[in-house]
Amino acid sequence: LEPGPKAVMITLNGYACQRRTPLQHHNTVLTEALLVLAENAEFCEDEGRNIAFKRAVSVLKALPQAVRKMGDLQGLPCLGEHSQRVIKEILEDGKSREVETTLQSEQYQAMKSLTGIFGVGVKTADRWFREGLQQPSDVARSGQRLNHAQQAGLQYYNDLNTPVTKAEADVISRIVEGVVQEVLPGAEITLTGGFRRGKQTGHDVDFLISHPEEGREEGLLPKVVSLLETQGLLLYQKTTRNSYLETKEGPARPPSNMDRFERCFSIFKLERPRHSTSPEEPPQAACEESPRGEDSALEQLAGERQDWKAVRVDLVVTPVSQFAFALLGWTGSQLFERELRRWAGQEKNMSLSSHALFDNKRKQYLRASSEEEIFAHLGLEYIPPCERNA
Ligand code: DCP
Ligand code: MG
């Protein structure tokens, strides 16, 4: 047999935090298909399957070229039998029947719309679906008991399901910066989350707030929130207090995934630019029609175009001693974070959180004032934010 074109075998490490994963990659047809299955597994509360598909996706994202034949996958980690079957079908037929069926299923579509409501998780969405609700307007009509977050989620459904642009994130950065400076001169804000990884759009805007002098950040957030409210900039907010406690024995096991910083989940009321007079102004892209326009009957003043947009913003306050951990923990991606914690636990017998790194063997905390130091403590090569898009 004639050998085909010479195969270049790519090797990749097994943990996403050992790999460089750029934002732009060469296998979007495959990753988008597998992400549908990952999402569907999440809707079915099948955590194992959800993670398995996400790991497969992250391996494909890290490849330096497009996959053309199954042989290209030889030796790659995290590609389970199910993922391979889907990939094979797409390489041969251009699409996967399982993915198509999933996309068309009533349950998937309903769960997608319902979990798209801010404040609604998989459990609630699933209960509503079983009660016959399929979309936000059904929920609005049904007279369900809703908490404040869910009420806001319904009310601003269209805006909150329209991607936030980098330009909008920059406008919000300037607003937050101004308010924080007014409350506590010298405090610093840092844009984290997807935007720090180089994404041009996101579902929200994430900030860390800190002060170079330990302890000065205490009591800051309620004042920031109250000033934002006075200025009419908040449509919704829920502030929770810091509940992090460090003990000599290390973090409680299993360490909670959720961090314990003082934080504010909010919805900003962001003025839309009137006329783009200077190139520095945010582009009018912010004013494009929502992809879910058919639901506009909901709350957003039926058809009436508002001169503002609702945008989800998370404000997280960290003492400067925990800043590097908070930065690493809030930059994401979610899978990258998960893999960092798995690496720490399984390979290094350490516990990593957004607050600290604890060496379980030596029973001591490992301090760090930069992300680079944390990677070094973990015995990992440093991966910059723009290559953490696992
Ligand atoms: N994060 C986490 N666990 C949480 C909350 C957040 O690990 N419970 C981390 C990982 C995320 C980052 O914080 O990447 C920000 O959370 P987002 O949900 O905002 O995720 P992204 O900013 O990455 O995505 P998007 O662009 O959609 O906002
Ligand atoms: Mg985000």
Side-chain angles (χ1 to χ4, degrees), residues 193-194 197 199 202-204 206 258 329-334 337:
R197 301 197 308 275
K199 284 180 68 179
H203 95 284
D204 68 358
D206 307 291
M258 198 68 177
W330 273 86
T331 297
S333 68
Q334 256 176 55
E337 300 298 334

Side-chain angles (χ1 to χ4, degrees), residues 192-195 197 199 201-206 257-259 263 312 314 328-335 337-338 341 354:
T192 62
F195 289 115
R197 301 197 308 275
K199 284 180 68 179
T201 59
H203 95 284
D204 68 358
V205 193
D206 307 291
N257 268 356
M258 198 68 177
D259 62 56
R263 75 157 58 149
R312 277 272 300 112
D314 281 349
L328 180 58
W330 273 86
T331 297
S333 68
Q334 256 176 55
L335 185 72
E337 300 298 334
R338 197 187 168 98
R341 292 192 292 263
S354 294

